[in-house]
Amino acid sequence: MAIFYHSTRDVNKKKITASQAILQGLSPDGGLYVPDRIPAIDFPLTALANMSYQEVAFKVLRLFLTDFSENELQECINAAYGKNFDDPAIAPLVFHEGAFYLELFHGPTIAFKDIALQLLPHLMTTAAQKNHSHKKILILTATSGDTGKAAMAGFANVPNTKIIVFYPQAGVSPIQERQMLTQKGTNTYVFGINGNFDRAQTNVKNIFNDQAFKQQLANLNYQLSSANSINIGRLFPQVVYYFYAYGQLLAKRQLTNGQPVNFSVPTGNFGDILAGYYAKKMGLPIKHLICASNKNKVLTDFFQTGIYDKNRPFYVTSSPSMDILVSSNLERLLFYLTDSDPAMTADLMQQLQQHGAYRISPAMQAILAKDFSADYADESATSQEIAYVFETCQAAIDPHTAVASQVARRFAAASINDQPMIIVSTASPFKFPKVVLSAITDSKADQVPDLTALQQLQQIIGIPYPSTIKQLLENQPQKRHLLEPNQMQAAILKIIA
Ligand SMILES: *Cc1c(COP(=O)(O)O)cnc(C)c1O
């Protein structure tokens, strides 16, 4: 049955197709597109045990992207998940001491955003053809570190597209910056912004809502689109690995059919964990989705008190992709919490805009508690977790994964339930060599230059460098371009004019 999409804030629930929603990214009213119903899976869970990642992707995505033909979808999936991943499983599940780690970092930028961003450009160009659009696609992305590089890698040299990435100058690691500055491609552009991630993201959002500016772009034959995790073309590819992980556990006979599992998810913009929520609503037996935050624990407080309040200090932590005070995708969860009420959702978002805070009712909080649990790990707990996992299992985990791992450990200790735990492992330890090295050698690697830390880490953990690290070491970075937030529009026009 066909599924249509409407904005979380539109009381008329005006419908568009999946391909139109992918092209538009954000709705013109500032809301996020949601499906008019959440489809149930139409295959038995046991079938997952024998499916490849690509097969699961096809089975799951066809339920959401109903205006794509099976052929189109298959071609997009084949183009996205192949030799560009360094593990044929795409998202392998490994066991370390008490929990399973779902490794989402085997793509070209060694972080989980590859999973969606290797697929999105293919979905988007297919969507443009389907809608007979002759405009070129302009992708604008605000990044807290990983999205930028992953989006550039996905869109590099894709015909009829250009991608411009804005990152907070002070909020990404030197390696993350170097990864972006060494990206090849005639259609990729990157700028550092004076300000933190929320500032960069708010500015990109404002550009999307600026109708006059959009018209200017249209006159230059460009259509604006977003590769941020607000795009349904980013969100739904992430639903896939929740099903795939379950299938892997069935195949390894670690589960009886239908047995519930928990997922601990290192959370920033709330895209990853929201995909898990969709998986659950589609019929995957998930007991708890554990929302794991770092020291920027606005989400932990929200789940525990019902109050979302971004008026608080912002910390730059060792897990920068989670240094976020406004989690965009939470709007979709609020929409479901209000029983799909766009007026109420818009009202909460209005309060957030005006006061930086809102409160949900105790009844809504009770509904949340059925699906979610939340906790956070501060910097020292994160570092200790990296050390602990290395000591006990000789496995190096990155700081984002460590946050989820630490929070999962506390969840298990609290005996909330004793179902199998899957920790979503979102980045390779090679992406954050100083932090990982400091933790496992119990020393201050802060003074060590990044590239030295990388080499030392490699020697200690004995895993060969992924190819993206080799490229990083071999390629010369382009010159850094810095902008004030109010110079972003001019920079865009200069590129496409
Ligand atoms: C983006 C990112 C996250 C957070 O995911 P969200 O979907 O933004 O919640 C966690 N870890 C890493 C390594 C990331 O890149």
Side-chain angles (χ1 to χ4, degrees):
M1 218 170 86
I3 290 201
F4 293 94
Y5 291 80
H6 62 79
S7 163
T8 45
R9 300 185 196 176
D10 176 13
V11 288
N12 298 317
K13 297 194 176 173
K14 181 173 169 283
K15 289 177 202 278
I16 61 173
T17 62
S19 64
Q20 288 166 340
I22 288 172
L23 282 176
Q24 284 193 28
L26 191 70
S27 163
D29 62 10
L32 276 52
Y33 287 115
V34 281
D36 59 1
R37 66 185 169 85
I38 300 177
I41 49 169
D42 58 0
F43 50 86
L45 287 173
T46 47
L48 288 167
N50 302 315
M51 285 189 216
S52 68
Y53 191 89
Q54 294 82 349
E55 285 166 338
V56 180
F58 180 72
K59 290 277 189 196
V60 169
L61 291 173
R62 61 186 277 279
L63 298 174
F64 284 109
L65 309 180
T66 53
D67 72 324
F68 285 67
S69 73
E70 300 213 325
N71 219 357
E72 286 169 338
L73 205 52
Q74 200 66 68
E75 277 177 16
C76 290
I77 290 168
N78 292 345
Y81 304 119
K83 291 267 180 290
N84 45 345
F85 282 75
D86 70 12
D87 191 306
I90 308 298
L93 191 69
V94 301
F95 184 77
H96 304 309
E97 253 264 314
F100 296 91
Y101 289 72
L102 178 63
E103 294 187 351
L104 302 182
F105 55 77
H106 290 277
T109 74
I110 57 174
F112 104 98
K113 293 187 177 65
D114 287 330
I115 301 260
L117 281 165
Q118 286 297 304
L119 182 60
L120 180 72
H122 303 289
L123 294 178
M124 221 174 235
T125 46
T126 307
Q129 285 161 17
K130 298 182 77 64
N131 289 282
H132 311 289
S133 167
H134 302 294
K135 289 205 172 62
K136 295 180 182 168
I137 294 172
L138 175 64
I139 302 294
L140 296 185
T141 296
T143 182
S144 59
D146 289 337
T147 310
K149 171 68 183 183
M152 287 166 88
F155 280 93
N157 298 327
V158 173
N160 297 321
T161 67
K162 277 198 200 312
I163 171 158
I164 309 178
V165 170
F166 301 98
Y167 66 93
Q169 172 59 19
V172 301
S173 78
I175 292 220
Q176 285 177 317
E177 187 182 43
R178 191 177 165 115
Q179 276 194 310
M180 290 189 271
L181 295 179
T182 50
Q183 175 64 46
K184 296 224 167 4
T186 53
N187 61 339
T188 65
Y189 306 85
V190 59
F191 295 97
I193 297 294
N194 194 2
N196 64 23
F197 171 68
D198 287 318
R199 186 108 185 263
Q201 172 157 275
T202 304
N203 274 284
V204 167
K205 276 192 172 178
N206 289 345
I207 291 175
F208 272 91
N209 292 332
D210 185 336
Q211 299 308 324
F213 186 68
K214 275 174 56 173
Q215 188 54 49
Q216 243 178 312
L217 295 179
N219 296 343
L220 293 161
N221 201 32
Y222 275 90
Q223 161 165 14
L224 213 49
S225 201
S226 159
N228 271 26
S229 61
I230 50 177
N231 194 310
I232 63 158
R234 278 281 304 278
L235 186 60
F236 296 139
Q238 298 178 359
V239 176
V240 174
Y241 50 75
Y242 287 89
F243 282 96
Y244 183 68
Y246 197 87
Q248 291 303 293
L249 284 180
L250 284 176
K252 292 180 207 282
R253 302 193 187 283
Q254 299 283 346
L255 282 181
T256 53
N257 183 31
Q259 184 184 349
V261 294
N262 301 308
F263 283 91
S264 180
V265 189
T267 298
N269 231 342
F270 211 76
D272 195 353
I273 194 166
L274 184 76
Y277 177 80
Y278 277 106
K280 180 171 183 177
K281 297 295 160 191
M282 292 169 80
L284 190 67
I286 299 177
K287 187 83 183 170
H288 276 106
L289 289 159
I290 303 166
C291 178
S293 300
N294 65 23
K295 196 177 174 191
N296 293 295
K297 60 183 188 69
V298 61
L299 286 167
T300 313
D301 293 342
F302 171 65
F303 281 106
Q304 289 175 358
T305 65
I307 300 171
Y308 193 97
D309 186 357
K310 71 159 191 161
N311 304 308
R312 59 176 72 212
F314 175 86
Y315 301 106
V316 174
T317 73
S318 59
S319 45
S321 297
M322 298 155 71
D323 289 346
I324 289 174
L325 293 182
V326 180
S327 298
S328 308
N329 265 298
L330 193 64
E331 179 167 345
R332 289 191 167 104
L333 183 64
L334 291 175
F335 176 77
Y336 294 115
L337 265 187
T338 60
D339 205 12
S340 306
D341 184 337
M344 232 169 128
T345 309
D347 181 56
L348 290 169
M349 290 298 105
Q350 178 71 18
Q351 291 179 42
L352 183 65
Q353 175 89 21
Q354 273 180 350
H355 311 293
Y358 58 82
R359 174 199 289 269
I360 58 169
S361 68
M364 283 156 91
Q365 230 186 307
I367 299 175
L368 266 188
K370 281 194 213 148
D371 295 318
F372 293 93
S373 164
D375 202 350
Y376 76 104
D378 65 13
E379 291 293 272
S380 93
T382 304
S383 169
Q384 281 169 26
E385 181 68 17
I386 296 172
Y388 179 78
V389 173
F390 189 69
E391 272 161 32
T392 49
C393 331
Q394 285 71 54
I397 55 173
D398 97 288
H400 301 77
T401 306
V403 167
S405 184
Q406 165 64 211
V407 166
R409 198 174 301 290
R410 279 193 230 147
F411 182 90
S415 314
I416 297 165
N417 73 55
D418 57 358
Q419 301 302 338
M421 177 69 73
I422 301 169
I423 290 154
V424 179
S425 181
T426 49
S428 157
F430 285 126
K431 201 145 190 169
F432 302 94
K434 275 189 184 180
V435 182
V436 179
L437 187 67
S438 299
I440 65 182
T441 58
D442 196 20
S443 66
K444 275 257 159 285
D446 296 20
Q447 286 83 9
V448 181
D450 250 316
L451 296 183
T452 313
L454 196 59
Q455 282 167 358
Q456 290 181 1
L457 181 66
Q458 200 270 331
Q459 277 161 14
I460 293 174
I461 67 178
I463 303 171
Y465 283 144
S467 63
T468 184
I469 295 286
K470 286 188 209 138
Q471 280 166 24
L472 181 92
L473 297 173
E474 285 157 15
N475 296 346
Q476 200 47 38
Q478 57 158 290
K479 197 169 130 275
R480 189 188 274 140
H481 295 282
L482 297 181
L483 291 180
E484 291 300 321
N486 64 7
Q487 296 174 315
M488 286 164 64
Q489 294 202 354
I492 296 166
L493 287 174
K494 203 170 157 205
I495 285 168
I496 64 169

